[in-house]
Amino acid sequence: MRTVAIVGVGLIGGSFGLALRQAGFPGSILGVSSPGTIEGAIRCGAIDQGVSLEEAAGTADLVFLAQPIYGIIATIEKLKPILGRHTLVTDAGSTKQVITEAARAFLPAGNFLGGHPMAGGEKRGVEAGRADLFQGRRWILDVNEANADNSTTRVLRKWIAEFGANEVVMDAATHDRLVAWASHLPQLASTALASAIQDSMPNARAVAGPGLLDMTRLALSSWDLWNDILETNKPEVAAALDGYIAKLQALRSDMGREFANGSGFAAELRK
Amino acid sequence: MRTVAIVGVGLIGGSFGLALRQAGFPGSILGVSSPGTIEGAIRCGAIDQGVSLEEAAGTADLVFLAQPIYGIIATIEKLKPILGRHTLVTDAGSTKQVITEAARAFLPAGNFLGGHPMAGGEKRGVEAGRADLFQGRRWILDVNEANADNSTTRVLRKWIAEFGANEVVMDAATHDRLVAWASHLPQLASTALASAIQDSMPNARAVAGPGLLDMTRLALSSWDLWNDILETNKPEVAAALDGYIAKLQALRSDMGREFANGSGFAAELRK
């Protein structure tokens, strides 16, 4: 793997470039983004130079798509006529099924490896990028029969391990079902909590403690980040919301049982 | 204030003793608890000696009740025939109305000052006590016409300020309404989230990230801590749960609006 192209050089894309450099990647790192972003990304050391998507698709061994979900899908369609024969395309989209379907429609099966580095932060943009963003975090990869033997797949997996990330192999449908509960539902639970207090009892701020701060941290996320995620995982998110609402109703009738159940899960999660 | 008696020398009671000592309180600190707890509390330096409730009530200038809520209520009833004429009773109960009603029934109005230091921790017991537990935390006090001029009220308020805590004066009904939203609802939201995932999608642990960890920290709390709290604030907690469930349902129909509302509140909370 001599040349990597990052499409969408924001927090995740920029951190990918920084992590590659810190882990000792000696090749060339290209960026595809707006001129202002490219300038900032070069200044941060996340990429070496900006190029067009055509140039990236024709010269890179690996194309890393780190845009919002619908941006990734649009890029996959554009890549169809211009992608190099051996170039591997991977992505960082937070849902995997719609992206995987787009890849199935437009790219050869052996040239696409769906991915989801489970890392992020409250700040956005390449300026917030960090070489250690992926350290200790899970990195979901949809390794399958078609893409497993691509030589760039093997090299990418090695670099992901070098970043200190924990690779988890999982297909797109399983991924989307599990993140609906582990990521999308917690986001909605936090947003709903903050919004309910804002509407019904804003004075509760006067007695807020660390518990409320923890429970409203995710609510700081903005809609433009989440719009694509929730839109592309609707049935799973709806099922998770239903399960959560039913559980809140059950809490009223048997608080003791739910407490034991909840604290058991919370403790397991920390093992 | 020469003598303080702490009834229930656990995390909060023990930390009160340690905080007094660290702030330079020169008097005597008595403890009322089981023999094993008294021994540990003396070893930690949280109290000087263990005494009976009768002795504490007759000799202390301040009696600090730091038991679970129903324990505080039972102690208030026991104090009626034995409390010294000038002794001030305060408490650390997490709901204030039922305790305030008990105090109104059994103690002279000028001898009771309801309180709620909004501090705690996952670990319990005097061994987990810390002199700085109250630092930077709110300490609700139900200062009113009857108790404001008690000389021990004035001295207690001075020590609370010395601990680095932020005094907030609030009556019992307002307190219980606000904590239902700022404290009890977040607890139930966290417990319900952990319990729902445990029941419906336990494999979601495989993709858990820091967001889910934040959102399930409160779920580690055990029912025996929360039983009294929720039992003594039922109507307010039910109203908060209703508001939260309605908001989760509203999220489905207009996620964008709720995101803006939720992130606005979350940002305000951090100002």
Side-chain angles (χ1 to χ4, degrees), chain A residues 1-266:
Chain A
M1 190 167 91
R2 281 172 306 190
T3 303
V4 170
I6 300 169
V7 183
V9 194
L11 174 65
I12 300 293
S15 294
F16 185 69
L18 292 168
L20 277 173
R21 277 286 175 258
Q22 174 154 306
F25 175 67
S28 175
I29 305 181
L30 313 175
V32 180
S33 236
S34 65
T37 300
I38 291 297
E39 200 182 310
I42 294 171
R43 205 166 42 232
C44 296
I47 61 169
D48 301 322
Q49 57 169 309
V51 295
S52 68
L53 184 65
E54 288 65 27
E55 199 175 336
T59 61
D61 302 298
L62 177 73
V63 175
F64 182 75
L65 308 180
Q67 305 151 279
I69 296 169
Y70 286 117
I72 291 174
I73 291 171
T75 302
I76 286 174
E77 187 168 353
K78 285 184 206 152
L79 286 174
K80 179 179 157 76
I82 56 176
L83 193 69
R85 244 181 92 179
H86 301 290
T87 303
L88 183 73
V89 178
T90 189
D91 78 303
S94 298
T95 63
K96 296 265 60 75
Q97 281 187 103
V98 293
I99 290 172
T100 303
E101 280 157 26
R104 199 172 293 138
F106 296 111
L107 303 177
N111 293 56
F112 181 75
L113 170 61
H116 181 198
M118 299 195 72
E122 278 149 48
K123 289 188 185 163
R124 299 169 63 183
V126 66
E127 291 77 12
R130 292 177 4 228
D132 65 352
L133 190 74
F134 309 111
Q135 197 179 334
R137 297 303 179 85
R138 294 189 171 93
W139 194 308
I140 315 291
L141 283 181
D142 186 4
V143 179
N144 56 37
E145 282 189 11
N147 61 34
D149 294 333
N150 185 314
S151 63
T152 305
T153 294
R154 289 197 297 268
V155 177
L156 173 63
R157 295 173 82 174
K158 188 185 76 67
W159 285 114
I160 288 172
E162 291 282 337
F163 298 167
N166 304 310
E167 180 193 292
V168 179
V169 173
M170 191 177 284
D171 67 66
T174 305
H175 170 275
D176 286 5
R177 196 166 56 245
L178 296 187
V179 294
W181 291 84
S183 165
H184 309 170
L185 179 59
Q187 172 63 49
L188 297 178
S190 181
T191 291
L193 181 66
S195 183
I197 299 175
Q198 173 66 36
D199 282 0
S200 299
M201 200 64 66
N203 292 341
R205 277 210 299 271
V207 295
L212 185 60
L213 284 172
D214 270 6
M215 293 295 289
T216 57
R217 185 180 67 83
L218 293 176
L220 293 168
S221 307
S222 64
W223 176 237
D224 61 327
L225 262 181
W226 276 89
N227 187 22
D228 288 13
I229 298 174
L230 298 170
E231 188 68 29
T232 55
N233 204 22
K234 270 186 183 169
E236 301 292 355
V237 169
L241 266 176
D242 285 345
Y244 186 48
I245 290 170
K247 189 56 80 174
L248 285 162
Q249 280 157 345
L251 251 181
R252 282 180 164 213
S253 56
D254 192 346
M255 294 218 176
R257 199 195 79 84
E258 298 306 340
F259 259 77
N261 201 30
S263 67
F265 177 80

Side-chain angles (χ1 to χ4, degrees), chain A residues 118 122 137-138 140 168 170 175 177-179 181-183 185-223 226 230 236-245 247-249 251-252 255-270, chain B residues 118 122 137-138 140 168 170 175 177-179 181-183 185-223 226 230 236-245 247-249 251-252 255-270:
Chain A
M118 299 195 72
E122 278 149 48
R137 297 303 179 85
R138 294 189 171 93
I140 315 291
V168 179
M170 191 177 284
H175 170 275
R177 196 166 56 245
L178 296 187
V179 294
W181 291 84
S183 165
L185 179 59
Q187 172 63 49
L188 297 178
S190 181
T191 291
L193 181 66
S195 183
I197 299 175
Q198 173 66 36
D199 282 0
S200 299
M201 200 64 66
N203 292 341
R205 277 210 299 271
V207 295
L212 185 60
L213 284 172
D214 270 6
M215 293 295 289
T216 57
R217 185 180 67 83
L218 293 176
L220 293 168
S221 307
S222 64
W223 176 237
W226 276 89
L230 298 170
E236 301 292 355
V237 169
L241 266 176
D242 285 345
Y244 186 48
I245 290 170
K247 189 56 80 174
L248 285 162
Q249 280 157 345
L251 251 181
R252 282 180 164 213
M255 294 218 176
R257 199 195 79 84
E258 298 306 340
F259 259 77
N261 201 30
S263 67
F265 177 80
E268 276 294 322
L269 200 59
R270 287 157 173 83
Chain B
M118 299 196 73
E122 279 149 46
R137 297 304 180 84
R138 293 190 172 92
I140 315 290
V168 179
M170 192 178 283
H175 170 275
R177 194 165 58 246
L178 297 186
V179 294
W181 291 84
S183 166
L185 179 59
Q187 172 62 50
L188 297 178
S190 180
T191 291
L193 182 67
S195 184
I197 299 175
Q198 173 65 35
D199 283 0
S200 299
M201 200 62 67
N203 292 341
R205 277 210 299 270
V207 296
L212 185 59
L213 283 173
D214 270 6
M215 293 294 288
T216 57
R217 186 180 66 82
L218 293 175
L220 293 167
S221 307
S222 65
W223 177 237
W226 276 88
L230 298 169
E236 300 293 355
V237 169
L241 267 176
D242 284 345
Y244 186 47
I245 290 171
K247 189 55 78 173
L248 285 161
Q249 280 158 344
L251 250 181
R252 285 181 160 214
M255 293 217 178
R257 199 194 79 83
E258 299 305 339
F259 258 77
N261 202 29
S263 67
F265 176 80
E268 276 293 324
L269 202 57
R270 287 155 173 85

Side-chain angles (χ1 to χ4, degrees), chain B residues 40-119:
Chain B
I42 293 172
R43 205 166 41 232
C44 296
I47 62 169
D48 301 321
Q49 57 170 311
V51 295
S52 67
L53 184 65
E54 287 66 27
E55 199 175 335
T59 60
D61 302 298
L62 177 73
V63 175
F64 182 75
L65 307 180
Q67 305 150 281
I69 295 168
Y70 286 117
I72 291 173
I73 291 171
T75 302
I76 286 173
E77 188 168 354
K78 284 184 206 154
L79 285 174
K80 180 180 156 77
I82 57 176
L83 193 69
R85 243 181 94 177
H86 300 291
T87 303
L88 182 73
V89 178
T90 189
D91 79 301
S94 298
T95 64
K96 297 266 59 77
Q97 281 185 102
V98 294
I99 291 172
T100 303
E101 280 157 26
R104 200 172 292 138
F106 296 111
L107 303 177
N111 292 57
F112 181 76
L113 171 60
H116 180 198
M118 299 196 73

